[in-house]
Amino acid sequence: MLCTRLTNARFLTMDPDRPVAHELGIWRGRIAGLDEAVTSLPAREVIDLQGATVLPGFVDAHVHLAWTGFKETTLSIAGRTRIDDVLAVVDAAAAREGAAGSWLSLVGYDQRALGRHLTAAELDRVSHGRKVFLLHESGHGCVVNSAVLDLLPAGIPHDNGFLAEGAMGAARALRLPYSQRELAEAIGRAARTCLAEGVTACAEAGIGGTLFGHSPVELGAYQLAREEGLLPLRVQLMVSADRLNPVAAHAADGIPRALDLGLRTGFGDDRLSVGALKIYTDGGMMARTAALSTPYEGLDHAGQLQDDPQALADTIVDGHLAGWQLAVHAIGDRAADLALDALERAQRLRPRPAARHRVEHAGLIRPDQLPRFARLGVSAVVQPNFLRYFGDDYAAIMGRERAPWLYRGRGFLDHGIPLVGSSDRPVTDGSPLRAIQFMVERASASGQVIGPGEGITVDEALHAYTVAGAHACHWEDTLGSLTPGKRADLVVLGDDPRRVDTSRIGAIEVAATYVDGRATG
């Protein structure tokens, strides 16, 4: 007897052997069969989906759950366009919420909306003796007041209170990390947001590290969230590379650096597992720290790498030698050059053709870099909503020649490079449907079309958020398509993305989300 039979729906299976079905049976959390294989079988529950469209649950291959959860409950200055208005918010919060000497954190800081960066001196005037920390929307920088600057180790660079990349990490390190209880609750809040948008599985893009980690014991917080029923979707955890330590292992093991006990990609189960090793090579375009091969338009610099290039390359090679799948953060084309060079060296030293290494973001990829991606078998894990919401700004700072290379679609696919959809939530909107719409039409929120030649079909965009996402996370045997034997993770939509006008895809209702055959609520 089936546990559940879903009927009267259009199932877009993403399985080329059977692309469409109208009935689906579920038994013990897995897909038991489609159409005639299940129509006559008894079921404990029969659900009439009243003509809805059903897809495999979306896979978001790059998110920040804990950060998302904390952002939802932290005072934000987003949307304010005047320096005085931001300072007024800080003034009121600093006077109201804590004692002198305590920390005050706000999110939503973006110098682009203000026309320039805030300064430490300006924050000093409204801090009421507090330590003030304003996190940049990109996550790649912050602005702090003098009370924080005075505590930083000697030699930490800043620009009148603005701290970028590793310097920001030094400021964050001054504070006691979040508790596991706080982390677990934040993760739970973010997970519910993901489910509401049809995401049933995701990859957390960097735990435990200086830049985006929230605690040196962050993995334990995910275990706690799962134990207490706060983790209603599947999560794969990328480990920040700065957690690696030198190890005294046999030379034949070929492992120069590792996590304690040699833990690596693949440990865990279908609900919570260790995924790729996350290696940051550069910053972000919002903060103007993505590493480019030529300067930003209108600026006298080309961004920055996170560390000495040789040190970054050695970390990539060591991670590969230790058996990890690698997720290399590279937004600018100069960072992508470094990543590709290091991955090529790593594969020469120890060939691992099935490693499925990934470049996270791949924000600006030159035409000459595409064949190298293909030759190395590297996936491009892109965030289409970056251009949907920030595309006008990104196109301006890249200029006419480079703008068409931003967050490519067609260029990757035409070279046989796996194209994987993701959000980088909470940096921007996490909706897969709105991202899919952008991948097809390449139009920013203002209507500007950016790199129209990089547009792809609806089917190809859906593939990026289902089949390709599952493959990038080594989940292809259990997720990504509505195939008998796979997990019954489904998203029920109010309309068919392939049949509506492209401009309406992002507004399609997510009517229900199923994980292991059970509707989540």
Side-chain angles (χ1 to χ4, degrees):
M1 176 181 285
L2 298 173
C3 298
T4 305
R5 187 168 72 247
L6 303 178
T7 187
N8 187 20
R10 181 176 176 82
F11 294 90
L12 305 182
T13 68
M14 306 307 296
D15 183 345
D17 292 335
R18 186 163 194 163
V20 179
H22 300 282
E23 198 155 8
L24 181 145
I26 299 169
W27 184 70
R28 293 189 177 181
R30 292 186 180 268
I31 298 169
L34 302 167
D35 289 343
E36 68 279 357
V38 297
T39 299
S40 61
L41 296 179
R44 294 191 185 96
E45 180 182 36
V46 177
I47 300 176
D48 185 340
L49 293 178
Q50 302 180 346
T53 296
V54 183
L55 280 157
F58 295 126
V59 178
D60 190 334
H62 185 119
V63 303
H64 299 276
L65 290 180
W67 180 11
T68 298
F70 285 124
K71 188 173 182 179
E72 290 178 3
T73 59
T74 302
L75 181 63
S76 177
I77 55 174
R80 290 170 174 81
T81 58
R82 297 177 63 248
I83 297 287
D84 288 346
D85 290 344
V86 172
L87 294 176
V89 174
V90 177
D91 189 1
R96 179 180 65 244
E97 295 182 5
S102 62
W103 284 86
L104 173 66
S105 293
L106 296 92
V107 297
Y109 174 67
D110 189 342
Q111 86 287 353
R112 299 173 304 172
L114 301 173
R116 66 170 175 84
H117 279 298
L118 290 172
T119 69
E122 288 171 325
L123 291 177
D124 290 344
R125 294 198 295 269
V126 294
S127 61
H128 295 270
R130 309 279 298 278
K131 302 181 186 75
V132 180
F133 182 103
L134 275 60
L135 180 64
H136 195 275
E137 278 285 77
S138 68
H140 285 271
C142 65
V143 62
V144 299
N145 65 346
S146 297
V148 177
L149 295 177
D150 291 344
L151 297 175
L152 290 172
I156 296 295
H158 70 90
D159 182 9
N160 292 320
F162 180 72
L163 301 159
E165 309 301 340
M168 178 193 69
R172 293 181 62 171
L174 297 172
R175 305 180 63 174
L176 186 68
Y178 289 103
S179 71
Q180 287 202 345
R181 169 64 53 191
E182 291 172 312
L183 280 163
E185 292 174 354
I187 291 161
R189 287 192 295 272
R192 292 190 294 273
T193 300
C194 290
L195 286 172
E197 295 177 337
V199 175
T200 58
C202 64
E204 165 67 59
I207 63 168
T210 300
L211 193 59
F212 284 103
H214 292 85
S215 167
V217 292
E218 197 166 357
L219 193 152
Y222 280 87
Q223 291 179 290
L224 178 63
R226 179 181 179 180
E227 290 164 0
E228 300 203 347
L230 299 174
L231 198 64
L233 76 172
R234 305 183 199 284
V235 179
Q236 190 175 87
L237 303 172
M238 299 185 203
V239 177
S240 291
D242 56 9
R243 297 299 94 191
L244 296 182
N245 302 307
V247 291
H250 285 271
D253 292 338
I255 302 176
R257 282 187 280 176
L259 289 186
D260 292 342
L261 301 179
L263 194 69
R264 57 177 172 82
T265 303
F267 184 82
D269 58 26
D270 66 288
R271 278 291 186 136
L272 182 63
S273 60
V274 174
L277 185 71
K278 180 71 178 293
I279 303 169
Y280 298 93
T281 65
D282 69 345
M285 288 185 187
M286 293 169 64
R288 311 312 196 223
T289 53
L292 310 179
S293 55
T294 57
Y296 290 89
E297 286 287 311
L299 299 177
D300 61 357
H301 69 86
Q304 66 189 75
L305 295 171
Q306 290 282 358
D307 200 347
D308 172 74
Q310 189 61 53
L312 291 170
D314 288 346
T315 298
I316 291 171
V317 171
D318 285 354
H320 172 89
L321 295 177
W324 287 89
Q325 178 190 24
L326 303 180
V328 185
H329 167 116
I331 292 184
D333 60 328
R334 176 159 55 109
D337 279 334
L338 185 152
L340 294 170
D341 287 346
L343 289 170
E344 189 168 26
R345 175 158 66 97
Q347 290 284 15
R348 283 199 307 268
L349 291 172
R350 181 184 174 189
R352 289 177 55 213
R356 298 190 197 176
H357 295 323
R358 313 157 36 145
V359 170
E360 308 298 302
H361 309 296
L364 186 76
I365 300 301
R366 302 187 309 271
D368 65 285
Q369 293 174 315
L370 293 171
R372 296 194 68 197
F373 268 78
R375 189 166 62 252
L376 289 167
V378 176
S379 297
V381 183
V382 300
Q383 297 76 41
N385 276 334
F386 276 17
L387 289 192
R388 179 178 174 86
Y389 292 97
F390 311 137
D392 295 351
D393 174 60
Y394 285 14
I397 60 174
M398 289 302 110
R400 185 183 302 272
E401 179 185 7
R402 292 182 293 183
W405 307 341
L406 287 164
Y407 293 92
R408 291 176 177 271
R410 176 57 54 203
F412 287 129
L413 292 180
D414 283 353
H415 282 79
I417 300 162
L419 177 66
V420 181
S422 70
S423 68
D424 205 15
R425 169 193 317 264
V427 177
T428 190
D429 182 4
S431 164
L433 287 170
R434 287 189 282 274
I436 287 164
Q437 177 178 323
F438 176 84
M439 295 173 88
V440 178
E441 64 184 10
R442 298 287 296 187
S444 72
S446 75
Q448 179 181 357
V449 178
I450 302 166
E454 291 296 324
I456 62 177
T457 68
V458 174
D459 281 330
E460 288 167 335
L462 291 172
H463 186 277
Y465 269 93
T466 54
V467 177
H471 188 267
C473 296
H474 293 266
W475 281 328
E476 72 276 9
D477 290 340
T478 56
L479 303 178
S481 66
L482 303 182
T483 302
K486 290 192 176 184
R487 296 285 179 183
D489 291 3
L490 325 165
V491 56
V492 181
L493 302 178
D495 217 329
D496 185 342
R498 303 190 305 182
R499 294 185 171 186
V500 303
D501 186 87
T502 301
S503 64
R504 291 180 51 211
I505 293 175
I508 292 174
E509 176 193 8
V510 176
T513 305
Y514 286 72
V515 176
D516 280 334
R518 298 179 181 177
T520 61

